[in-house]
Amino acid sequence: MAVELKNDLLLRALCREPVDRTPVWIMRQAGRYLPEYRATRAEAGSFMDLCQAPELACEVTLQPLRRFDLDAAIIFSDILTIPDAMGLKLYFVAGEGPRFEFPLQSPEDVRRLPRPDIAESLGYVMDAIAVTRRELDGKVPLIGFSGSPWTLATYMIEGGSSKNFSKAKRLIYDQPAVAHELLGKLADTVTAYLNAQIESGAQAVQVFDTWGGALSAAAYEEFSLRYMARIVSGLDRESRGRRVPVILFSKGCNTQLEALAASGCDALGVDWTISLAEARRRVGARVALQGNLDPTVLLADHGAIRREVEATLSSFGPGEGHVFNLGHGITPEVDPEHLGVLVDAVREFSPALHRPR
Ligand code: 1CP
């Protein structure tokens, strides 16, 4: 028997159904700003050891929910598990972020890149999802996620983080056929990966296109959006009798909102460079919106956080279709108490924007 979901505000809001308050979750809500995360991470040894131990991944997924009244959990993992499963071997250099031992350096590397067996190479993510669903016991929904093909490709080609993506962008201009071969393989893999997450219990899924904004409008359409639309059309949109909403988050792509909304997704993540009022005017009849407080606001004092939360809620305005979030991930230097102020402010201010059910 499936456990009933006690708090389904997130799923309702993502489907633009009425809610009595605005649901809130935070991108990267599990992570380095929490001392208990740092302790579990130290216990695990390495970041990948943490991701690959389902009980520990479950533990860090639940940590932020013990502190804050959040309306969703997001499974603790990373977008770079896919390239790792394709054989690039992910590791972390302290203070420098992710690196690959075998980055893609030639068309031959792309040709040889396998489509991994998801159950075999990424089974640890599905196990973490199953364990976490059991532990959540229907308290709030669990979100699954993946990187977008373009965002994954930037890390795979650059060998790690990058400032200007010169190698990845050179590939799309010099050898577009090779780029398309890579992005096609990634789109197939992401689709299978997210479907496996849904099968294991993910109740909504988000695609992080963190570096979509590095591309020109034309290149974005050809090398990022097209592949996300292909993923959206290949996903299982219903599980155990309930719709599984799909959220696309393309950072820095506010000029593309209409095209993103036409992809077939249920909701768009929005960064803080556009007002929710304008985003809603442009696409709010078609998709829900998720966002969009500037993460830096969390470094300011309590009064400023409350004021900015209220401004973000009223920018979206009354009615359904808003999920409160930051416009990008929470940063490691945030004082956890400040996130509590944000979550409580969403609970306090948002009921006025909804009719009681
Ligand atoms: O040392 C550590 O503990 C590693 C820090 C860390 C954490 C906490 C990394 C390495 N990944 C994560 C977890 C993570 N990554 C989650 C957890 C679930 C949650 O609570 O939200 C998620 C959703 C991600 C997704 C992710 N990883 C993205 C997309 C989201 C975004 O913020 O843009 C990206 C770009 C990555 C790559 C990555 N992994 C880790 C780091 C530090 C980075 C960013 C590197 C860069 O800036 O290029």
Side-chain angles (χ1 to χ4, degrees):
M1 254 303 273
V3 199
E4 210 178 319
L5 195 50
K6 291 159 199 141
N7 172 349
D8 67 352
L9 290 175
L10 174 85
L11 302 185
R12 296 181 64 86
L14 289 173
C15 295
R16 291 183 303 124
E17 293 167 9
V19 286
D20 44 27
R21 61 179 175 81
T22 305
V24 52
W25 71 279
I26 299 296
M27 287 191 276
R28 303 282 201 113
Q29 65 192 25
R32 285 171 293 177
Y33 75 104
L34 289 177
E36 58 271 36
Y37 168 80
R38 296 196 297 270
T40 311
R41 161 96 157 73
E43 185 193 325
S46 73
F47 178 75
M48 282 310 277
D49 288 335
L50 177 55
C51 291
Q52 291 176 349
E55 304 290 340
L56 294 182
C58 169
E59 164 60 22
V60 293
T61 300
L62 299 179
Q63 284 171 350
L65 285 106
R66 293 190 193 116
R67 277 188 187 248
F68 314 114
D69 275 331
L70 295 159
D71 296 301
I74 177 164
I75 191 65
F76 187 82
S77 187
D78 197 78
I79 64 166
L80 301 177
T81 51
I82 284 188
D84 187 64
M86 288 175 143
L88 274 64
K89 215 155 178 6
L90 176 64
Y91 67 100
F92 284 83
V93 183
E96 286 187 40
R99 289 274 179 79
F100 289 112
E101 197 169 319
F102 308 110
L104 301 177
Q105 288 176 319
S106 69
E108 194 42 42
D109 286 350
V110 172
R111 214 157 294 136
R112 277 201 306 257
L113 199 65
R115 284 184 174 76
D117 179 322
I118 301 294
E120 194 182 305
S121 55
L122 291 160
Y124 61 89
V125 178
M126 309 327 140
D127 293 344
I129 289 173
V131 172
T132 307
R133 273 295 302 273
R134 203 161 61 227
E135 288 295 314
L136 278 170
D137 194 29
K139 186 173 181 249
V140 292
L142 180 62
I143 302 169
F145 71 91
S146 171
S148 73
W150 162 249
T151 291
L152 293 177
T154 65
Y155 287 96
M156 294 167 81
I157 298 163
E158 303 288 339
S161 304
S162 169
K163 282 212 160 56
N164 51 18
F165 309 99
S166 50
K167 291 185 187 139
K169 287 169 76 170
R170 189 172 159 197
L171 182 75
I172 66 171
Y173 293 116
D174 270 349
Q175 298 176 288
V178 176
H180 281 301
E181 186 182 346
L182 172 59
L183 294 164
K185 278 188 186 179
L186 284 168
D188 293 346
T189 305
V190 169
T191 306
Y193 182 47
L194 289 176
N195 279 336
Q197 292 187 34
I198 291 166
E199 165 101 6
S200 300
Q203 291 150 295
V205 292
Q206 172 156 325
V207 178
F208 287 91
D209 186 30
T210 305
W211 306 125
L215 294 168
S216 71
Y220 175 77
E221 197 288 316
E222 181 176 348
F223 296 98
S224 187
L225 179 60
R226 189 183 295 182
Y227 291 95
M228 290 196 290
R230 193 161 123 187
I231 291 164
V232 171
S233 67
L235 290 179
D236 301 330
R237 303 295 278 276
E238 210 183 279
S239 177
R240 298 165 181 96
R242 184 139 198 181
R243 185 166 180 87
V244 180
V246 180
I247 311 157
L248 297 184
F249 171 59
S250 259
K251 187 167 174 287
C253 296
N254 292 326
T255 55
Q256 306 283 345
L257 287 182
E258 288 83 353
L260 276 157
S263 68
C265 68
D266 298 278
L268 295 181
V270 181
D271 70 30
W272 62 92
T273 62
I274 186 175
S275 72
L276 286 180
E278 186 190 334
R280 188 180 190 185
R281 204 159 45 240
R282 283 168 49 192
V283 298
R286 304 172 78 166
V287 287
L289 296 173
Q290 176 177 280
N292 74 339
L293 187 69
D294 180 348
T296 313
V297 169
L298 285 173
L299 302 178
D301 65 28
H302 292 189
I305 295 169
R306 287 171 55 78
R307 197 174 62 235
E308 292 298 323
V309 166
E310 194 170 16
T312 302
L313 286 166
S314 39
S315 178
F316 185 87
E320 58 277 350
H322 182 210
V323 173
F324 198 99
N325 206 312
L326 302 177
H328 195 196
I330 188 169
T331 52
E333 63 272 22
V334 168
D335 175 348
E337 203 188 299
H338 287 209
L339 182 52
V341 172
L342 178 157
V343 173
D344 292 347
V346 177
R347 288 217 170 208
E348 178 183 334
F349 296 133
S350 70
L353 298 163
H354 302 280
R355 277 194 214 104
R357 274 190 290 148

